[in-house]
Amino acid sequence: QVQLMESGGGSVQAGGSLRLSCAASGYTYSSYYMGWFRQAPGKEREGVAGIYRGSGSTYYADSVKGRCTISQDNAKNTLYLQMNRLKPEDTALYYCAAAPGAPHGLIPYDYNAWGQGTQVPVSS
């Protein structure tokens, strides 16, 4: 079973930066499609960024393109999400997730393993 644990969340001022981490265990990290999602109060869970190590392909939601970078450290079995120039609308509970096969982009339904989330409140 895939086990995921997010960390690195916390309050940040608008315009600031934050790096989220996701520790993975219970599977071969490099063999999975991984992604970051977020959910704001009263909103649907939405995809933020994804990565497939087989090809090195990364993909991002339009809302974070140019401000976000997804990466990973295989030696540490850790996935990262670097977010820059944060905006109040980025405020959400951020999750990392894994999909057993090729997902259809950043669709939450295609991911079957989830962390518990880490809060990112962005203040004005």
Side-chain angles (χ1 to χ4, degrees):
Q1 300 295 320
V2 178
Q3 302 296 135
L4 305 172
M5 181 65 71
E6 304 93 338
S7 63
S11 298
V12 62
Q13 293 292 121
S17 299
L18 200 64
R19 188 182 72 164
L20 305 182
S21 298
C22 174
S25 62
Y27 76 110
T28 302
Y29 190 72
S30 62
S31 66
Y32 282 83
Y33 295 82
M34 303 290 294
W36 286 95
F37 294 78
R38 66 187 183 186
Q39 187 166 21
K43 300 290 186 179
E44 294 291 321
R45 188 170 300 184
E46 63 176 354
V48 177
I51 186 169
Y52 172 54
R53 292 186 54 78
S55 63
S57 298
T58 59
Y59 33 99
Y60 300 91
D62 289 341
S63 60
V64 302
K65 285 182 179 178
R67 301 188 297 119
C68 178
T69 301
I70 185 171
S71 63
Q72 54 193 306
D73 185 333
N74 288 336
K76 297 180 179 179
N77 279 338
T78 303
L79 179 73
Y80 301 100
L81 181 68
Q82 177 68 46
M83 298 189 70
N84 303 314
R85 304 193 306 280
L86 286 162
K87 306 174 181 179
E89 51 262 45
D90 292 320
T91 296
L93 180 63
Y94 283 72
Y95 300 89
C96 62
H104 296 85
L106 294 167
I107 307 299
Y109 182 82
D110 290 338
Y111 292 75
N112 67 352
W114 296 83
Q116 294 182 328
T118 185
Q119 292 281 2
V120 178
V122 183
S123 60
S124 302

